[in-house]
Amino acid sequence: MTRSGLASSAPPSHRRIALVLGGGGMKGFAHIGVMKALEERGIVPTRYAGTSIGALLAAARLGGYTPDQLAARAESLKRRDLFRINHFGMIMERMRSPSIYLEEPLRDLCRAVVPAGTFADLPLPLLVNTVDLERGSPVIWGSPGLQNVYVQDAVYASCALPGYFPPGKVGERVCVDGGVIDNLPVAIGALDADLVIAVDVGSTDLRPIQDAASLGFANIYMRAATTMMHALQQFPLTNWQGPPMVLIRPRCSEDWLSFTNIAATIQEGHRAAHKALEDIDAFYDQPGGVYPRRRFEIEVDRDRCIGCGLCAALAPSMMGLDAQGKAYTRTRTADWSPADGEFVHHCPTHAIIARKVERIVPLKAGERGAA
């Protein structure tokens, strides 16, 4: 038993619950609010998986930090505690400099909150998602055969966003941020799990922005990276074949690097988690799927539709083109999880309208009637 009350055994129901925490820079502090909500509901994960800040906070939790302690630590952080320009490297090495920011501040943060020792020393399984830079392939530290390395090294590498921080050496491999390939490692986290609770903070609420070219190269890069990560992780979510998944998507700000809204970000994670977990008892007994689910009415504004066909290409089961080349809906209603309905936001003229109708609560085992 650790000082936080974490035990190495499964919860009383013997259900195996995987908590998967995605990357997202400072937006990842929403994970703290999620962990607080889980604690309040008595939900105890039996394994953790994470990318970048998700890996950092998962490791800190397993190291004994409570959500309140993590919140206090996060709210005390200043920009200089993490981001210090690598002036010498930028001047002397120029294009050969490995990063914009120095390695040591991020290393210090990992040493401060991540437990020392190897993955085998942790009280519960932890999977840390990285990418082997030399091989161009994912490496999930903490998996069988990949446990005899230092957790702090793996977490640093998982946080080492290419170009921002230098790559990290884990064992004999040179690794970078796992978000390069998989920002929300639900597939590996779901192995041997009865339920997955996944928290996506990296690509949610990708709202249009104004005058993107004036943001500066760092923010332009992060905007492009966010778009790429969102597209990469949509496939495993919309084609999910694993155990039931509760997908939590806090509505955080777009700025990955902002330290000004940490308390509000934590609170938003707490709010979003409580909302998503309202019907969790019904999710356990489902054969699969992504939850929570909501019923939407879908329609097309024909005056706005330009007939580009993007919606029909992205969602052929939901959308089609009529004889006049205008989009139409194949069904007026749909029961969507947070991972569904992506094509609506991609319409270039906002001609597709989706209205939330009601919350869908799945039947629990032994119940009868329509959901």
Side-chain angles (χ1 to χ4, degrees):
M1 184 77 70
T2 68
R3 59 178 172 162
S4 64
L6 283 168
S8 59
S9 60
S13 63
H14 303 293
R15 288 177 172 129
R16 299 166 298 177
I17 303 172
L19 179 61
V20 181
L21 306 177
M26 301 304 104
K27 297 192 293 181
F29 288 126
H31 294 319
I32 299 172
V34 172
M35 290 189 284
K36 179 66 172 177
L38 294 177
E39 183 179 70
E40 291 169 351
R41 287 179 170 268
I43 299 170
V44 182
T46 57
R47 68 186 308 181
Y48 289 74
T51 297
S52 194
I53 191 170
L56 176 75
L57 291 171
R61 184 78 176 104
L62 287 175
Y65 278 88
T66 67
D68 288 339
Q69 289 170 335
L70 287 173
R73 180 95 191 189
E75 291 173 32
S76 70
L77 277 178
K78 307 299 181 187
R79 186 175 183 85
R80 184 168 175 76
D81 294 334
L82 193 56
F83 299 111
R84 297 182 200 165
I85 297 291
N86 182 15
H87 292 288
F88 183 81
M90 298 291 286
I91 292 172
M92 299 302 295
E93 299 179 271
R94 299 191 179 184
M95 293 300 292
R96 295 187 65 83
S97 176
S99 65
I100 298 171
Y101 297 111
L102 293 171
E103 174 178 335
E104 204 56 29
L106 179 56
R107 283 280 185 190
D108 287 342
L109 179 61
C110 290
R111 294 186 190 110
V113 302
V114 174
T118 70
F119 285 84
D121 299 321
L122 296 174
L124 291 173
L126 170 66
L127 303 173
V128 173
N129 185 30
T130 67
V131 170
D132 184 321
L133 189 60
E134 295 174 341
R135 298 187 181 188
S137 60
V139 182
I140 314 298
W141 301 103
S143 300
L146 294 171
Q147 298 175 341
N148 193 29
V149 295
Y150 292 113
V151 180
Q152 291 178 355
D153 289 345
V155 169
Y156 169 83
S158 187
C159 294
L161 185 66
Y164 279 70
F165 293 101
K169 194 167 185 181
V170 190
E172 298 301 316
R173 297 174 183 260
V174 177
C175 297
V176 295
D177 190 342
V180 170
I181 291 179
D182 188 358
N183 202 44
L184 189 67
V186 288
I188 190 70
L191 295 179
D192 299 320
D194 300 315
L195 179 81
V196 177
I197 299 174
V199 189
D200 171 25
V201 295
S203 60
T204 59
D205 217 16
L206 193 61
R207 295 180 293 262
I209 56 176
Q210 300 295 322
D211 196 17
S214 67
L215 295 175
F217 75 91
N219 284 313
I220 291 173
Y221 173 83
M222 289 309 306
R223 178 70 176 183
T226 299
T227 305
M228 176 190 69
M229 290 175 184
H230 183 75
L232 284 173
Q233 74 183 41
Q234 273 302 113
F235 182 81
L237 293 175
T238 55
N239 297 275
W240 182 245
Q241 300 296 316
M245 179 199 301
V246 181
L247 179 58
I248 303 172
R249 281 183 159 170
R251 294 182 175 274
C252 303
S253 70
E254 281 295 306
D255 191 348
W256 285 51
L257 308 179
S258 174
F259 286 76
T260 59
N261 298 308
I262 291 177
T265 298
I266 294 171
Q267 183 58 38
E268 170 56 17
H270 186 262
R271 181 208 64 80
H274 270 299
K275 186 70 174 175
L277 296 167
E278 284 178 342
D279 303 305
I280 190 170
D281 288 341
F283 303 152
Y284 286 116
D285 298 317
Q286 301 307 307
V290 181
Y291 302 92
R293 305 190 76 81
R294 303 287 188 267
R295 182 159 294 158
F296 285 81
E297 287 183 347
I298 311 153
E299 63 177 282
V300 176
D301 185 333
R302 290 180 61 83
D303 293 334
R304 288 186 178 183
C305 179
I306 58 176
C308 69
L310 182 60
C311 60
L314 293 175
S317 64
M318 294 288 300
M319 306 296 296
L321 296 177
D322 62 19
Q324 287 75 46
K326 296 282 189 175
Y328 71 93
T329 60
R330 298 188 186 277
T331 176
R332 291 300 302 273
T333 63
D335 296 341
W336 282 343
S337 78
D340 296 318
E342 186 74 7
F343 67 93
V344 174
H345 309 290
H346 288 315
C347 177
T349 58
H350 308 289
I352 306 171
I353 302 149
R355 298 185 183 90
K356 189 184 300 181
V357 178
E358 61 186 22
R359 179 163 57 101
I360 307 299
V361 181
L363 294 175
K364 290 187 277 188
E367 292 183 336
R368 300 176 62 185

